[in-house]
């Protein structure tokens, strides 16, 4: 029997029954006039609504079965009404006859029985009915345990592991076979028992466990233990032959085997072609969030940290890497050796990692740690930029956090086929090749920024996530939000020429689009199931989390914020933490001058973000906050009346230079008033987009539009991008006319910065795509004509080279790619000429790396060009070049090619 999701069951129970409403509308089918009929409000629908809102613990999941049964009774009630409509029969004169006495008696009896059952269930909530009667002392129904695979009762029913046993140390032995693509393993787990028990429940997924024993501390005799499996929760229970005593340590020994995964998850294998086009295999791990259990039985929850000793048997021609430095290599049999690694620091299971492959590397030492970048042999000439970047970032983080990187080595490995961008395994960071390898001939300015950003993100995790780990996945943002914040902060400090702050602004705008939907979720959300945990890895945990930290840093000042981070890391290193632990650390520094916990809880526990409306009358500024929300269907809309944020507002005026005169105001009420010391010509809130909110200026929009036309450089590039985003967002809600938004971007003819141009093209692209999809071709053409009028000259001024600063190169790439995609000016003519020459050279001619995407997209519009790109993609071209080819191949408008493209499934979409 298929189990419907809980919310689907509840929704089906509370839909208004159409037949009941119809009875009220049709006087000939109902004994009452429509205005005499009274309906029960949706919110008071008796018993099941109460169950739906009840906060269930896992040990109360048996209540859910009751809710399902009650739900069925509601469904039956609806169908019963349809079947019984015949009791009201029409008389010949058209009037309705009164129901028979028998019918009335039957209905009354059914009603009495139903009410009695309801009263028993709801008036005796503490009563559990058993053969012995009602035991009122029980607060919930007796926990129903699931069945193990062998038909016996499994001794645990919750998704989270019990707290009666905690891991201390793992001894893990593995032997992967890259010929049979299988692996065998054994693990000895030293555990501490916190309360008397006969069970040890831990995680295992897809492992064929062949042996399970338990040994007590100091004991030499292994005792065979019964093994129970419950695959639905990826859990196994090792049942001890006798009670395990509190305070004692025991060793659990498990032997098992499995297949190397083909899903990029767990302990998996991928193939690649070597320099001689021979197929080779590469084995690696990706355990976050819940896949360590598919490589070895373990306590696979982030707070259950332990130390690890890892030994791996391998072919002597291959190499192995793991979290820690290699301790020894010993021969096992002919052609097989075993690598043993030093004991790890205390860490979470999802951070354990190992790689078995044919690799080469280059290394550099910094502050006692050896930093190495590894790649397959044919790509070793592309790792130098990554090594230099990693060393600079590692040194920066050590100084900023005042905590040295705690391991003796740090390996960065480029994997030929890797689903994520990268993974921060402690001491062994794994990367997709396009996020680590830099080819001087094929990698663009954008590629360099991407590589730098990903390395900065993963190195920040060595402190935020590895040294201090979130206690549970509901606070994933503590890992990912912090790493994203530090990624852009570190890049601004070390690589200012990359202008990474402008990239971050545009990422925030996109995250806010998602966060403005009613389907959004708070940054910190309660999660239990694997599906819920996977869903947390989204733009809100990463980008919104980072932008909230950025907002807090600017409000507290950088020194106070840095001091709070230092306390947080020192207080919780080698342990786990919750969001409140971070706010408490900040409060130690603010020392009562500001309640950071109160301020930030409004941001991490509310979904969405505020819209601040500003009204200026002379020196008086009136402020009002409300939730910014794209209205969807009324049935799915969540009321925003209870939403109130503590908003750290910043603003600047014409009376001061924006780089030296930023004012702050904490808006912690629905409405407030600011009195300026003197009247001003204009005012701009959310300086440099440092806050996570949108501003509506009412009448002052006209003033800001005039300001941009007269001298747009009075405001920073980030402020200009912020204004463009805000006015188009407000136009999408109907709060401002779209005409006004187009008036604001009239100044773009004079714009030369990437951030505002990127945002303007993004917003105009959305409008163009919407009009095209709705078949409004004339309006779509007018939008594109408007873009050409604004940016045509700028596009025409671009040359087809890689010259200039990083910012100039990136702007050129963006403008020409947009122009070629939408056939603006003579872009396609120039691009087609370069593509044809490249095709005639059989792909050997050098193309400007920044403009490859524009050239390939243009070339892919012809059949011969598309086929040639496909051929080149399958050859041994650099990964940076392949990523641009795959985008071009996907840009084709030929439906048959797209269907073939999807059916053959030859590509890994990046």
């Amino acid at each position: 029997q298929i189990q419907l999701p809980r919310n689907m069951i509840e929704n089906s129970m509370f839909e208004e029954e159409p037949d009941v409403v119809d009875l009220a509308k049709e006087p000939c089918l109902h004994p009452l006039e429509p205005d005499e009929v009274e309906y029960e409000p949706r919110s008071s629908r008796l018993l099941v609504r109460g169950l739906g809102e009840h906060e269930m613990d896992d040990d109360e999941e048996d209540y859910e079965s009751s809710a399902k049964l009650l739900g069925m009774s509601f469904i039956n009630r609806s169908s019963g009404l349809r079947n019984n409509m015949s009791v009201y029969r029409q008389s010949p004169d058209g009037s309705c006859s009164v129901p028979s006495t028998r019918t009335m008696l039957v209905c009354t009896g059914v009603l009495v029985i139903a009410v009695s059952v309801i009263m028993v269930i709801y008036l005796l909530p503490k009563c559990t009915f058993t053969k012995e009667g009602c035991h009122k002392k029980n607060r919930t129904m007796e926990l129903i345990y699931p069945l193990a695979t062998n038909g016996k009762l499994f001794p645990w029913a919750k998704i989270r592991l019990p707290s009666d046993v905690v891991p201390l140390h793992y001894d893990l032995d593995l032997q992967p076979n890259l010929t049979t693509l299988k692996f065998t393993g054994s693990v000895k787990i030293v555990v501490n028992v916190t309360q008397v028990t006969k069970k040890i429940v831990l995680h295992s997924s897809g492992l064929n466990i062949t042996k399970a024993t338990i040994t007590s501390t100091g004991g030499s005799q292994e005792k065979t233990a019964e093994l129970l499996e419950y695959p639905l929760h990826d859990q196994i229970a090792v049942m001890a032959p006798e009670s395990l005593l509190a305070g004692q340590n025991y060793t659990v020994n498990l032997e098992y085997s499995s297949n190397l995964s083909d899903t990029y998850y767990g302990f998996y294998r991928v193939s690649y072609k070597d320099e001689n086009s021979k197929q080779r295999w590469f084995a690696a791990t990706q355990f976050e969030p819940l896949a360590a259990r598919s490589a070895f039985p373990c306590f696979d929850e982030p707070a259950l940290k332990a130390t690890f000793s890892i030994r791996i048997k391998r072919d002597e021609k291959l190499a192995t890497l793991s979290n820690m430095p290699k301790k020894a290599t010993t021969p096992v049999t002919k052609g097989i050796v075993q690598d043993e690694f030093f004991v790890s620091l205390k860490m979470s299971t999802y951070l354990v990692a190992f790689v078995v492959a044919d690799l080469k590397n280059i290394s550099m030492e910094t502050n006692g740690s050896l930093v190495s970048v590894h790649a397959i042999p044919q790509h070793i000439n592309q790792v130098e930029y990554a090594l230099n970047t990693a060393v600079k970032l590692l040194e920066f983080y050590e100084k900023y956090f005042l905590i040295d990187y705690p391991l003796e080595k740090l390996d960065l490995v480029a994997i030929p086929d890797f689903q994520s961008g990268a993974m921060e395994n402690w001491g062994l960071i794994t990367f997709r090749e396009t996020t680590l390898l830099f080819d001087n001939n094929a990698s663009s300015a954008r590629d360099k920024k991407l590589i730098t950003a990903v390395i900065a993100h993963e190195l920040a995790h060595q402190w935020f996530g590895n040294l201090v780990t979130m206690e549970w996945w509901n606070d994933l943002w503590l890992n990912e939000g912090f790493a994203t914040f530090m990624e852009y902060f570190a890049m601004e400090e070390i690589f200012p020429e990359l202008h990474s702050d402008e990239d971050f602004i545009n990422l925030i705008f996109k995250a806010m689009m998602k966060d403005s939907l009613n389907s959004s979720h708070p940054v910190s959300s309660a999660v239990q199931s694997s599906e819920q945990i996977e869903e947390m890895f989204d733009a809100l945990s990463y980008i919104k989390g980072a932008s909230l930290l950025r907002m807090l840093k600017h409000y507290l000042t950088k020194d106070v914020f840095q001091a709070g981070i230092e306390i947080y890391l020192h207080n919780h290193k080698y342990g786990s933490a919750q969001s409140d632990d971070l706010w408490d650390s900040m409060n130690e520094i603010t020392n009562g001058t500001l309640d950071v916990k109160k301020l930030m809880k409004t941001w991490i526990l509310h979904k969405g973000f505020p819209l601040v409306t500003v009204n200026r009358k002379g020196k008086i500024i009136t402020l009002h906050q409300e939730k910014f929300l794209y209205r969807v269907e009324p049935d799915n809309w969540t009321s925003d009346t209870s939403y109130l944020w503590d908003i750290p507002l910043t603003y600047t005026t014409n009376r001061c230079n924006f780089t030296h005169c930023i004012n702050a105001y904490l808006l912690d009420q629905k409405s407030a008033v600011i009195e300026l010391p003197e009247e001003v010509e204009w005012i701009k809130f959310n300086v440099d987009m440092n806050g996570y909110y949108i501003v509506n200026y009412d009448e002052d929009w006209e003033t800001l539009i005039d300001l941009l036309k007269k001298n747009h450089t009075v405001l920073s590039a980030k402020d200009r991008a912020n204004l463009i985003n805000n006015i188009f967002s407000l136009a999408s809600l109907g709060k401002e006319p779209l005409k006004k938004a187009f008036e604001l971007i009239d100044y773009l003819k004079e714009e030369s910065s990437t951030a505002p141009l990127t945002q303007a093209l993004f917003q105009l692209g959305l409008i163009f795509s919407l009009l095209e999809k709705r078949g409004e071709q004339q309006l779509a053409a007018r939008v594109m004509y408007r873009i050409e009028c604004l940016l045509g000259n700028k596009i025409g001024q671009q040359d087809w080279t890689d010259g200039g600063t990083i910012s100039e190169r990136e702007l050129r790439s963006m403008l020409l790619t947009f122009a070629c995609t939408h056939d603006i000016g003579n872009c396609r003519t120039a691009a087609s000429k370069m593509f044809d020459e490249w095709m005639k050279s059989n792909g050997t001619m050098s193309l400007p790396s920044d403009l490859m995407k524009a050239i390939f997209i243009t070339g892919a519009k012809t059949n011969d060009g598309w086929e040639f790109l496909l051929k080149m993609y399958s050859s041994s071209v650099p990964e940076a070049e392949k990523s641009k080819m795959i985008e071009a191949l996907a840009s084709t408008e030929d439906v048959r090619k797209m269907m073939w493209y999807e059916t053959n499934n030859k590509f890994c979409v990046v």
Side-chain angles (χ1 to χ4, degrees):
Q1 185 178 9
I2 297 175
Q3 303 246 339
L4 293 175
R6 179 183 176 84
N7 63 329
M8 189 181 296
I9 296 166
E10 292 182 3
N11 290 340
S12 68
M13 288 190 268
F14 303 115
E15 290 294 336
E16 297 286 357
E17 294 87 355
D19 48 334
V20 177
V21 178
D22 289 345
L23 288 174
K25 291 179 179 177
E26 297 293 335
C28 289
L29 298 178
H30 202 283
L32 299 174
E33 292 299 319
D35 57 339
E36 297 176 315
V37 181
E38 294 183 5
Y39 297 107
E40 180 185 72
R42 277 174 88 87
S43 60
S44 65
R45 283 284 176 96
L46 286 182
L47 49 171
V48 188
R49 174 59 73 183
L51 286 173
E53 293 173 348
H54 180 56
E55 285 287 321
M56 285 202 316
D57 292 327
D58 285 326
D59 59 356
E60 297 173 338
E61 286 178 350
D62 45 346
Y63 274 132
E64 187 170 5
S65 301
S66 304
K68 292 175 185 175
L69 293 173
L70 293 169
M72 289 300 293
S73 72
F74 273 109
I75 295 169
N76 292 337
R77 183 185 76 176
S78 179
S79 60
L81 282 168
R82 282 191 290 272
N83 295 333
N84 292 331
M85 279 168 56
S86 59
V87 300
Y88 301 111
R89 303 191 183 278
Q90 236 179 335
S91 59
D93 62 357
S95 62
C96 296
S97 62
V98 178
S100 66
T101 303
R102 179 183 176 188
T103 301
M104 293 295 289
L105 288 172
V106 170
C107 290
T108 302
V110 170
L111 182 61
V112 169
I113 293 170
V115 171
S116 301
V117 171
I118 292 166
M119 291 178 66
V120 167
I121 294 175
Y122 273 79
L123 297 181
L124 297 174
K126 300 179 182 178
C127 180
T128 300
F129 290 95
T130 65
K131 292 180 181 179
E132 294 79 24
C134 176
H135 301 288
K136 294 194 180 233
K137 65 180 181 178
N138 293 337
R139 294 187 59 84
T140 63
M141 295 182 183
E142 185 177 338
L143 188 64
I144 299 174
Y145 288 102
L147 292 179
T149 52
N150 62 0
K152 294 185 178 182
L153 281 180
F154 191 79
W156 191 247
K158 298 183 182 182
I159 294 176
R160 298 284 297 272
L161 296 178
S163 58
D164 50 8
V165 175
V166 293
L168 301 177
H169 178 75
Y170 294 79
D171 276 309
L172 177 61
D173 287 86
L174 291 166
Q175 183 168 5
N177 188 320
L178 296 188
T179 302
T180 64
L181 304 181
K182 300 178 182 294
F183 70 95
T184 58
S186 67
V187 63
K188 294 180 179 179
I189 311 174
V190 179
V191 299
N192 177 257
V193 177
T194 59
Q195 59 188 57
V196 177
T197 184
K198 293 192 71 173
K199 68 181 186 304
I200 298 176
V201 180
L202 64 160
H203 290 110
S204 174
S205 178
L207 302 177
N208 178 29
I209 300 176
T210 55
K211 179 182 178 181
T213 62
I214 295 179
T215 307
S216 62
T217 303
S220 57
Q221 184 179 3
E222 289 186 341
K223 296 183 179 180
T224 302
E226 182 183 15
L227 187 76
L228 301 176
E229 298 181 81
Y230 185 48
L232 185 62
H233 289 171
D234 288 343
Q235 291 175 354
I236 59 173
V238 180
M239 305 302 294
E242 56 193 32
S243 294
L244 306 176
L245 303 180
Q248 297 296 309
N249 291 350
Y250 297 84
T251 301
V252 181
N253 182 24
L254 299 164
E255 296 180 4
Y256 60 95
S257 63
S258 189
N259 297 320
L260 289 170
S261 172
D262 59 359
T263 64
Y264 308 103
Y265 200 48
F267 191 16
Y268 73 96
R269 39 82 175 182
V270 295
S271 66
Y272 66 96
K273 298 287 182 67
D274 65 13
E275 301 100 318
N276 302 315
S277 297
K278 181 181 177 182
Q279 185 185 46
R280 303 292 299 273
W281 289 98
F282 191 119
T285 57
Q286 171 60 45
F287 289 162
E288 189 181 41
L290 307 171
R293 63 191 68 175
S294 65
F296 58 100
C298 57
F299 295 79
D300 202 9
E301 294 185 2
L304 298 177
K305 294 188 172 186
T307 55
F308 293 81
S309 295
I310 297 175
R311 289 173 292 274
I312 300 176
K313 295 183 178 70
R314 60 168 172 91
D315 187 307
E316 62 182 358
K317 296 178 182 178
L318 301 177
T320 60
L321 298 169
S322 188
N323 304 86
M324 301 300 291
K326 196 174 293 183
K327 182 178 181 181
T329 299
T330 55
V332 179
T333 59
K334 184 178 180 181
I336 302 295
V337 297
Q338 176 177 270
D339 291 328
E340 181 180 359
F341 299 89
F342 283 101
V343 179
S344 76
L345 299 176
K346 194 175 178 183
M347 64 182 182
S348 304
T349 50
Y350 79 86
L351 294 171
V352 175
F354 26 88
V355 167
V356 182
D358 181 14
L359 294 168
K360 289 190 175 181
N361 72 83
I362 63 172
S363 303
M364 186 185 302
E365 188 171 343
T366 176
N367 197 24
S369 296
L370 184 66
V371 182
S372 305
V373 183
H374 305 254
I376 57 177
Q378 62 261 43
H379 291 160
I380 194 62
N381 63 333
Q382 300 175 36
V383 302
E384 185 177 358
Y385 177 76
L387 179 62
N388 293 332
T389 300
V391 169
K392 289 178 183 177
L393 286 163
L394 195 66
E395 292 171 350
F396 171 79
Y397 286 142
E398 288 181 325
K399 291 177 183 176
Y400 186 79
F401 299 136
L402 295 182
I403 297 177
D404 287 344
Y405 173 72
L407 305 183
E408 293 180 7
K409 65 95 175 175
L410 175 63
D411 292 321
L412 293 78
V413 185
I415 298 180
D417 205 353
F418 191 70
Q419 190 173 47
S420 305
M423 176 62 205
E424 68 267 18
N425 316 296
W426 214 353
L428 178 59
I429 307 175
T430 49
F431 293 79
R432 185 185 297 186
E433 286 189 328
T434 51
T435 61
L436 189 67
L437 305 181
F438 183 82
D439 187 296
N440 290 320
N441 297 319
S443 297
S444 64
R446 190 73 189 165
D447 294 330
K448 177 176 280 190
K449 291 178 78 169
L450 173 65
I451 292 167
T452 308
V454 175
I455 294 174
H457 183 97
E458 304 307 327
L459 261 63
H461 269 308
Q462 305 305 299
W463 286 265
F464 288 99
N466 300 6
L467 185 66
V468 180
T469 311
M470 78 266 145
E471 192 170 290
W472 182 243
W473 300 104
N474 63 300
D475 277 329
L476 175 68
W477 83 274
L478 279 178
N479 280 19
E480 299 301 348
F482 247 119
T484 305
F485 166 77
M486 291 305 305
E487 160 193 342
Y488 287 99
F489 175 64
M491 288 174 69
E492 283 183 60
E493 295 291 316
I494 307 173
F495 308 101
E497 71 279 3
L498 295 181
H499 297 284
S500 59
D501 54 335
E502 295 188 358
D503 294 325
F504 189 33
I505 293 297
N506 282 299
L507 284 177
I508 294 173
F509 292 146
K510 291 179 181 178
M512 293 177 85
M513 286 185 68
K514 176 175 181 178
D515 202 17
S516 65
L517 301 175
N518 199 46
S519 58
S520 179
H521 64 82
V523 168
S524 181
S525 300
V527 293
Q528 286 286 334
S529 69
S530 58
E531 293 80 10
Q532 291 172 333
I533 292 169
E534 292 280 1
E535 287 170 1
M536 292 298 288
F537 289 81
D538 64 2
L540 301 182
S541 295
Y542 285 72
I543 308 302
K544 182 178 180 179
S547 63
L548 296 182
L549 292 169
R550 179 171 174 267
M551 179 174 68
L552 182 63
K553 169 180 169 283
H554 283 282
Y555 188 62
L556 295 180
T557 71
K558 62 180 183 181
D559 293 336
V560 171
F561 181 80
Q562 182 179 357
I565 287 178
E566 291 168 7
I567 290 177
Y568 170 75
L569 290 173
H570 279 281
N571 287 350
H572 302 283
K573 60 184 178 182
Y574 304 110
S576 55
Q578 301 176 4
S579 296
D580 280 353
D581 296 319
L582 175 61
W583 313 140
D584 289 340
S585 299
M586 294 290 178
N587 278 338
E588 286 188 41
I589 303 300
T590 59
N591 197 26
T593 58
L594 174 70
D595 189 345
V596 178
K597 183 184 293 187
K598 175 182 177 295
L599 169 73
M600 296 307 295
K601 274 199 168 185
T602 65
W603 292 94
I604 67 165
L605 299 182
H606 287 340
K607 65 181 181 180
F609 55 88
L611 165 63
V612 178
T613 301
V614 176
N615 192 282
R616 179 169 62 97
K617 300 290 184 185
K619 295 190 297 182
I620 303 300
I621 308 295
T622 304
L623 306 169
H624 177 77
Q625 66 160 292
E626 60 186 298
K627 184 178 180 182
F628 184 97
L629 181 69
Y630 285 116
R631 296 290 192 264
V632 289
E633 292 80 4
D635 288 345
N636 296 327
W637 180 72
T638 302
S639 172
D640 63 356
T641 54
S642 62
Y643 278 72
L644 180 69
W645 286 267
D646 287 4
I647 311 173
L649 297 174
T650 55
Y651 62 93
T652 187
T653 72
N654 63 290
R655 293 295 183 183
C656 55
N657 187 310
F658 69 89
T659 58
H660 303 292
C661 185
I662 299 176
N663 302 284
Y665 180 83
L666 184 63
L667 179 62
D668 56 359
Q669 307 169 56
K670 277 287 183 184
S671 299
V673 172
I674 299 175
E675 184 174 355
L676 302 177
E678 56 187 333
E679 289 193 26
V680 294
E681 294 177 12
W682 54 264
I683 188 168
K684 164 68 174 70
F685 276 81
N686 201 358
V687 178
D688 283 340
M689 184 59 197
N690 287 329
Y692 192 76
Y693 55 91
I694 279 178
V695 182
N696 188 2
Y697 293 92
D698 278 354
E699 294 87 355
D700 260 5
W701 275 117
E702 298 293 344
T703 305
L704 291 169
I705 290 170
D706 290 339
L707 177 65
L708 290 175
K709 288 178 179 177
K710 291 176 182 176
N711 183 10
H712 66 280
T713 59
V714 170
L715 298 175
S716 69
K718 288 181 278 189
D719 273 331
R720 301 195 296 271
N722 177 230
L723 289 174
I724 293 170
N725 171 267
N726 283 192
I727 198 163
F728 274 96
S729 298
L730 292 166
S732 69
L733 290 188
K735 287 185 174 289
E736 291 294 337
L738 190 57
K739 180 183 177 183
K740 189 176 289 186
F742 276 93
E743 288 175 0
L744 185 136
I745 61 172
D746 276 342
Y747 90 96
L748 286 180
K749 293 177 181 179
E750 309 301 324
E751 184 61 81
S752 59
S753 295
T754 306
L757 285 170
T758 301
Q759 183 56 205
L761 286 177
F762 176 75
Q763 295 293 344
L764 293 170
L766 290 178
I767 296 171
F768 176 80
S769 298
L770 177 62
L771 292 172
E772 265 205 327
K773 288 176 183 176
R774 297 185 63 176
E776 300 285 353
Q777 300 303 331
Q778 287 187 335
L779 285 175
R782 287 175 61 186
V783 171
M784 200 51 60
Y785 175 75
R786 185 68 175 271
I787 295 173
E788 189 167 1
C789 289
L790 290 173
L791 302 178
N793 289 339
K794 197 173 297 296
I795 291 170
Q797 293 166 3
Q798 304 301 315
D799 53 31
W800 291 75
T801 67
D802 281 338
T805 65
I806 292 285
S807 185
E808 290 169 343
R809 291 171 60 186
E810 192 172 11
L811 179 61
R812 179 188 304 123
S813 175
M814 178 188 67
L815 289 174
L816 291 179
T817 300
F818 187 90
C820 286
T821 301
H822 297 284
D823 198 14
I824 295 176
N826 64 352
C827 185
R828 285 189 181 177
T829 303
S832 294
K833 181 181 177 182
M834 297 186 78
F835 183 85
D836 290 342
E837 292 174 359
W838 176 72
M839 192 162 59
K840 287 176 184 177
S841 73
N842 200 29
T844 59
M845 186 184 91
S846 179
L847 292 173
S849 58
D850 294 328
L851 305 177
M852 276 184 186
K853 183 177 175 181
I855 294 168
F856 290 162
I857 285 175
T858 304
K861 294 191 178 297
T862 67
N863 186 63
D864 289 344
W866 197 90
E867 295 290 344
F868 185 73
L869 277 172
L870 178 61
K871 171 191 164 187
M872 293 301 297
Y873 180 88
S874 303
S875 67
S876 300
V877 296
E879 291 302 314
E881 198 167 333
K882 281 189 174 184
S883 68
K884 299 172 184 66
M885 288 178 179
I886 199 170
E887 287 188 73
L889 289 167
S891 71
T892 180
E893 296 173 5
D894 188 324
V895 177
R896 290 171 299 177
K897 284 188 174 66
M898 287 304 298
M899 291 177 65
W900 180 91
Y901 180 98
E902 183 177 352
T903 303
N904 283 266
N905 195 27
K906 284 192 171 189
F907 312 104
C908 172
V909 179
V910 295

